[in-house]
């Protein structure tokens, strides 16, 4: 898609300055395409090099993470923290531990996070971090040593008012506990607001664990409501089987839909009766076992090895595994099989070609920065509770989450409508978020 000529120039600068970082280029391109009408209508949104400034992280931290495994062997990983934009609040975003992590991934995730966080309407800037550390097969003590080493460097860059990390792929409650323990030990400060996703006993928030998945399901339900429908009675497919997927499935079921399949990197489980969330939690959260063991306890279900979950026909798809898992091919398959709503639980799981196929096929497409914003929104609620040394009930927190997701959904639709692209959630999300960040930056002067 063509973009405004002033933005084309910015995009060439981004390509030249960040060579080989394909995912980052992809994320920037999508935003620049979307905001072109806004820049055409209100040229101040491209003044003072505001677009170039948004595309350049405020600070990039890369560090060595040495650690020793259980056999005494030494490993060196690379740690990252991308402090991308703090116009709206402290840098906020998760940490990802996965072997695929490199600068381009952290930059794309940090860039997406700026806009996602802006869309929530809450006072949080955008950041992201992580490491190319592979937690798979590592013992609990190895995970602890890695987290301690990672925090030994990271602690000097973060703080309640500076930068507040949380979890992402490979980083859950256990890792946040070890990271918080090391932060507390090094700094001698019980600064609960420095990390979110903590356990309840250390100032964690109710519903934070569930929030990303629950939020994505609420968002899908809102998308259906906008078409005079709901999740009740719908056949749903969710990819992934991590934290986002598990709680997306749980909420879809609570809202009356049926998730018939979910996946891991090796294949997928097909359970026509509906995925048993209790069993899934036990496998993934307690036993930390492979998804294929699902069928040991549920013999009516099938584990389909080496194939893509998107071949399972569904009305609603919720990609909740990782970036670029739906290419043109998978999108085409979903459209041909009758899928009408896609809500992204993961960050950028659909390629630009996939998005085009969905939109041309009349599918309502909810991009991750809107649909999965419930996780970070609830992190902001955790920060709020930590700042006031308070803790809210599950019910109250869940009501807040639902209200926030409704707000994001209507902000997207309203903005898309205003710019003459009714029903285009991508344009609505990007324009609404970009203009909020740009307004905040312009008011702060040239910094
Ligand atoms: N990693 C999550 C995301 O992609 C959550 C970030 C947070 O809670 O700070 O939004």
């Amino acid at each position: 898609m063509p973009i405004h000529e002033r933005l084309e120039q910015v995009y060439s600068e981004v390509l030249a300055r960040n060579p080989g970082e394909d995912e980052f280029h992809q994320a920037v391109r999508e935003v620049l395409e979307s905001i072109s009408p806004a820049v055409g209508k209100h040229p101040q949104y491209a003044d003072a090099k505001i677009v170039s400034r948004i595309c350049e992280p405020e600070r990039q931290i890369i560090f060595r993470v040495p650690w020793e495994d259980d056999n005494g062997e030494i490993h060196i990983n690379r740690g990252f923290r991308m402090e991308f934009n703090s116009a709206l609040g402290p840098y906020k975003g998760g940490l990802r531990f996965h072997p695929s992590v490199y600068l381009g991934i952290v930059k794309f995730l940090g860039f997406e996070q700026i806009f996602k966080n802006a869309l929530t309407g809450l006072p949080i800037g955008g950041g992201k971090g992580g490491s190319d550390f592979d937690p798979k097969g590592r013992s609990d003590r190895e995970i602890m040593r890695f987290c301690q080493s990672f925090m030994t460097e990271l602690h000097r860059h973060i703080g309640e008012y500076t930068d507040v990390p949380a979890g992402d792929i490979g980083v859950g409650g256990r890792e946040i506990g070890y990271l918080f323990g090391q932060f507390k030990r090094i700094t001698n400060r019980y600064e609960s607001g420095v990390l979110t996703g903590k356990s309840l006993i250390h100032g964690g928030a109710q519903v934070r664990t569930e929030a990303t998945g629950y939020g994505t399901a609420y968002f899908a339900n809102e998308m259906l409501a906008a078409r005079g429908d709901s999740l009740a009675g719908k056949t749903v497919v969710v990819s992934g089987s991590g934290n986002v997927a598990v709680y997306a499935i749980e909420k879809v079921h609570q809202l009356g839909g049926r998730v018939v399949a979910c996946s891991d990197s090796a294949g997928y489980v097909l359970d026509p009766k509906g995925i048993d969330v209790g069993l899934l939690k036990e496998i993934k959260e307690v036993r930390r076992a492979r998804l294929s063991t699902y069928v040991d306890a549920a013999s009516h279900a099938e584990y389909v090895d080496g194939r893509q979950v998107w071949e399972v026909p569904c009305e609603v798809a919720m990609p909740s595994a990782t970036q670029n898992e739906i290419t043109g091919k998978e999108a085409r398959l979903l459209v041909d099989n009758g899928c009408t709503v896609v809500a992204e639980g993961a960050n950028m799981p659909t390629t630009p070609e996939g998005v085009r196929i969905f939109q041309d096929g009349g599918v309502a497409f909810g991009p991750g920065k809107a649909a999965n914003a419930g996780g970070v929104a609830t992190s902001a609620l955790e920060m709020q509770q930590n700042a006031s040394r308070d803790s809210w009930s599950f019910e109250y927190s869940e009501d807040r989450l639902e209200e926030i997701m409704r707000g994001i959904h209507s902000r997207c639709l309203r903005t898309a409508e205003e710019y003459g692209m009714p029903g285009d959630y991508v344009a609505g999300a990007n324009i609404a978020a970009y203009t909020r960040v740009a307004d905040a930056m312009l008011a702060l002067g040239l910094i």
Side-chain angles (χ1 to χ4, degrees):
M1 206 168 115
I3 56 179
H4 193 279
E5 62 186 271
R6 289 177 74 179
L7 303 183
E8 200 63 73
Q9 172 66 28
V10 176
Y11 187 62
S12 320
E13 284 164 22
V14 168
L15 293 182
R17 190 173 272 164
N18 306 277
E21 297 173 9
D22 295 351
E23 298 81 1
F24 180 49
H25 303 162
Q26 181 183 333
V28 170
R29 179 86 204 178
E30 183 206 281
V31 169
L32 297 186
E33 282 179 4
S34 289
I35 65 167
S36 283
V39 167
K41 206 165 160 184
H42 306 288
Q44 78 269 23
Y45 283 127
D47 284 351
K49 294 242 170 178
I50 195 76
V51 194
S52 301
R53 278 197 278 154
I54 287 183
C55 293
E56 180 68 14
E58 289 175 17
R59 190 175 299 108
Q60 307 182 44
I61 302 151
I62 305 181
F63 52 99
R64 182 173 68 197
V65 189
W67 59 282
E68 206 172 324
D69 71 18
D70 288 344
N71 301 318
E73 198 182 320
I74 291 170
H75 300 262
I76 308 295
N77 283 99
R78 189 170 278 185
F80 300 90
R81 188 68 186 167
M82 196 58 53
E83 297 185 334
F84 223 122
N85 194 296
S86 60
L88 290 169
Y91 309 107
K92 183 80 198 87
L95 299 170
R96 176 178 292 191
F97 292 170
H98 191 270
S100 64
V101 168
Y102 78 105
L103 195 54
I105 292 275
V106 187
K107 234 182 251 176
F108 119 65
L109 290 166
F111 186 75
E112 289 282 293
Q113 201 81 43
I114 306 171
F115 303 102
K116 182 195 306 198
N117 295 4
L119 262 186
T120 66
L122 297 163
I124 40 179
K128 200 85 184 193
S131 174
D132 56 2
F133 170 68
D134 187 359
K136 211 175 259 170
R138 290 293 168 196
S139 71
D140 198 67
R141 303 199 63 82
E142 288 174 326
I143 298 285
M144 181 183 76
R145 284 197 293 276
F146 179 81
C147 289
Q148 290 179 339
S149 182
F150 187 86
M151 184 53 86
T152 300
E153 171 59 32
L154 187 69
H155 85 276
R156 59 185 106 250
H157 308 289
I158 61 176
E160 183 182 357
Y161 296 104
T162 316
D163 183 356
V164 183
D168 196 80
I169 293 172
V171 179
R174 173 180 60 166
E175 290 74 17
I176 293 293
Y178 293 147
L179 290 163
F180 184 54
Q182 184 72 349
F183 178 87
K184 192 176 82 60
R185 179 194 196 188
I186 294 178
T187 60
N188 194 28
R189 285 166 66 85
Y190 204 109
E191 189 181 319
S192 299
V194 72
L195 289 168
T196 61
K198 301 177 296 295
S199 67
L200 296 179
I201 207 164
H202 300 125
Q206 297 278 5
V207 191
R208 177 62 192 90
T209 308
E210 297 84 353
T212 312
Y214 275 20
T216 308
Y218 283 134
F219 196 89
N221 207 33
E222 286 298 304
M223 292 171 81
L224 283 153
R227 297 180 154 203
D229 205 342
S230 83
L231 269 174
K234 291 283 175 301
T235 300
V236 182
V237 166
V238 173
S239 64
S241 47
N243 169 266
V244 181
V246 168
Y247 292 98
I249 297 170
E250 185 164 275
K251 185 52 75 182
V252 168
H253 288 173
Q254 288 171 10
L255 293 171
R258 181 186 294 181
V259 179
V260 294
C262 66
S263 62
D264 65 3
S265 54
Y268 67 86
V269 163
L270 179 65
D271 187 341
K273 287 192 189 167
I275 296 288
D276 179 340
V277 180
L279 175 58
L280 191 60
K281 282 185 193 170
E282 194 207 301
I283 294 169
K284 302 300 293 189
E285 295 173 1
V286 183
R287 287 199 272 126
R288 295 184 189 273
R290 295 219 64 101
L291 182 62
S292 52
T293 60
Y294 183 96
V295 295
D296 301 342
S299 54
H300 63 278
E302 189 189 347
Y303 185 78
V304 184
D305 216 336
R307 297 194 63 94
Q308 289 255 10
V309 73
W310 305 120
E311 67 187 16
V312 179
C314 63
E315 294 158 289
V316 178
M318 296 169 68
S320 306
T322 195
Q323 66 274 353
N324 292 332
E325 53 169 306
I326 298 187
T327 68
K329 182 168 141 264
E330 289 81 25
R332 168 74 42 228
L333 195 58
L334 280 160
V335 173
D336 290 348
N337 283 339
C339 175
T340 58
V341 170
V342 175
E344 293 187 327
N347 291 313
M348 205 170 75
T350 313
T351 64
E353 194 197 356
V355 176
R356 222 167 300 123
I357 289 169
F358 285 142
Q359 291 181 329
D360 292 349
V363 172
F365 175 77
K369 59 170 81 74
N372 75 33
V376 76
T378 308
S379 277
L381 303 183
E382 183 171 333
M383 291 164 71
Q384 215 172 307
Q385 290 164 78
N386 292 152
S388 56
R389 300 188 189 281
D390 197 0
S391 64
W392 307 343
S393 70
F394 192 95
E395 293 69 26
Y396 178 73
S397 310
E398 200 182 5
D399 286 350
R400 291 289 312 268
L401 170 64
E402 192 177 354
E403 183 188 311
I404 290 168
M405 296 315 294
R406 284 223 174 95
I408 296 172
H409 178 269
S410 58
R411 215 163 290 143
C412 291
L413 277 194
R414 217 182 320 116
T415 309
E417 183 91 43
E418 198 183 316
Y419 283 86
M421 290 170 285
D424 186 336
Y425 288 92
V426 178
N430 284 328
I431 297 173
Y434 175 82
T435 50
R436 183 159 187 256
V437 178
D439 284 338
M441 286 178 72
L442 288 165
L444 290 171
L446 184 58
I447 57 169

